[in-house]
Amino acid sequence: MAPATYQPMKADEEQPISQESSTFTQFTPETYSDDGDDDELEDLEAEEGYELRELGERAESRQRRDTVGGAEDDEDEGHGRAGAANSHKRRRRASVQSYELYTPNEERRVRRKLDTHLVLFVALLYLMSFLDRSNVGNAKIAGLTDDLDLSDNQYEWLLTAFYISYILFEWMTICYQLFPPHIYVSCCVFAWGALASLQAVMTSFAGLLVLRALLGIGEAAFVGIPFYLSFFFRQDELAFRIGLFISAAPLATSFASSLAWLIVRFGDRTGIASWRLLFLVEGFPACLVAAWAWRWIPDAPQTARWLSPRERRVATLRMRKETNDGDSNAPSEHPSPQSSIPRHKRKFNWREALRTLQDPKAYLTAGMFFCCNVAFSSMPVFLPTIVHAMGFSTLASQGLSAPPFLFAFAAVLATALLSDRLRSRSVPMMFHALLAMTGYIFLAIAGAFRFGHVLRYLAVFPICAGFFSAVTIVITWTVNNQHSDEGKGTGMAMLNVIGQLGPLLGTRLYPDAEGPYYVKGMSVCAGAMAMVGVLAFALRVVLLAENARRRRRWKGPEEEEEGEALVGSRRSSSEPFMYLT
């Protein structure tokens, strides 16, 4: 029997009841062939009713049997209806989209499984990654600098060495298309877990410096996860999923502060220095999770072992119109011949990579990421020091470093969800840039007016919410702005290579000598977040102009006045690639 598909049913038609249909009919089949043929929903109209109907020999014979008796009586009326229907069909043919046979409930179920099984898992991995990256700030006030006799300059080099190697190996983002992701991700997780744990046994500045540099390589290989998530989620679904992923960073920082508080309070009873125990406890679990990642991470929707065969099919079909094989102006009515081939086995399109390298939009998002990272790289590692300089004890500083990042965690999720709902990236970006800039300005002028430590501490909350949310949006925006896998991978590599230069500045903004107000560091971060807002506005203008140009070229002058296209909405088979603004 042929696969079931949608068939139109007129409102005045009645469906005959036969013996064959007395039992439940499975309209959405659990079995299907892998020949790549597309099931179509013919002539979908909002004003008419449709239902899933059975095709094949049984349905055709039933239709002939049920209609032959009344054919003569309805001949004249049928001719009139057929003529009107054919005329209507011709008028609407250009706007009809090809649909695969899956129901909205099936799609929601698949999307929910992807969220709970994949997005939350990679968020857990990122939490571990950010924990191992930023816990050096907690280790500093837990005795690291005293035990190893580190100067301010040496401590800053521990931070800088990480980001130098991190930047040099950001090109590894494209490896998600060159190697099976489940192998690649697992190796990255094991590498950084082992390196982070080994920091606990270091006895010299030189040894710790080498490990921090190697840790940067291991974590640089992991930052392509937003690109990887675009294999599974559509353009207008991506911000919330990347938000879930990025929100693991403030959650990790707050968790690190809470864990550091416990270790500092009780760690001395173990006979191991608190900072050494901190590195070991927060680093080694990643080695164990790497084995889990090997079996859990899918290479593509069709290989997810935690989806049923039918769910894997739906997960694959729902993504087939998200790429246009490098041609931004070509319709995507039919899936690419390569769509069934795993990404790591496809031929890499170097022309698309070169096109992205020449794209001004990629440099605007990279510039935003650079400015965001000035704050993103400095506040998480220096907040315990900043809070300690406000007059709080070492133990209290560890505990008080957690709440601002918990607030940022909630803000990131709310911002990402709202951004997807509004299908807008620039408006949330400009709002949070302004929010963070205001907080930094307040802290910068606090030195002149000698504000109390309570007000200064409260100003940290909008700062953390601002730059964490901005990082989430700019990463999502970069993936949205590219229409091919090669473009997305290259765009993410550019974003990180240029953007991660920001930490080279950010990690040197808060030397102990400038405490307790750190006016210079706060002023630089305020300027950086202001620049984020300016670049976001500039990119919005560029994208609006580009979308208008594409609509004019696609529609033609005679259709220009028929109504505005939905910028960034889900594309039909007859629409060009549109940018989210």
Side-chain angles (χ1 to χ4, degrees), residues 135-166:
N135 60 10
V136 67
N138 299 108
K140 178 185 178 184
I141 63 173
L144 170 66
T145 53
D146 294 334
D147 287 358
L148 298 188
D149 194 24
L150 301 180
S151 64
D152 275 355
N153 187 57
Q154 286 176 318
Y155 175 73
E156 289 176 352
W157 268 109
L158 291 180
L159 305 180
T160 304
F162 172 89
Y163 283 106
I164 289 176
S165 58
Y166 194 76

Side-chain angles (χ1 to χ4, degrees), residues 5-20:
T5 188
Y6 285 99
Q7 288 293 311
M9 181 181 69
K10 299 298 181 180
D12 56 350
E13 289 182 354
E14 293 185 3
Q15 296 302 306
I17 301 176
S18 67
Q19 294 295 327
E20 293 176 303

Side-chain angles (χ1 to χ4, degrees), residues 422-469:
L422 297 177
R423 292 188 173 91
S424 173
R425 305 294 184 233
S426 57
V427 173
M429 174 70 79
M430 291 185 286
F431 171 79
H432 280 290
L434 178 64
L435 190 68
M437 180 192 71
T438 303
Y440 275 120
I441 290 176
F442 181 86
L443 291 181
I445 65 176
F449 293 93
R450 296 296 189 267
F451 291 148
H453 60 270
V454 175
L455 290 177
R456 289 160 55 205
Y457 176 71
L458 291 177
V460 174
F461 283 77
I463 288 174
C464 292
F467 68 71
F468 273 114
S469 298

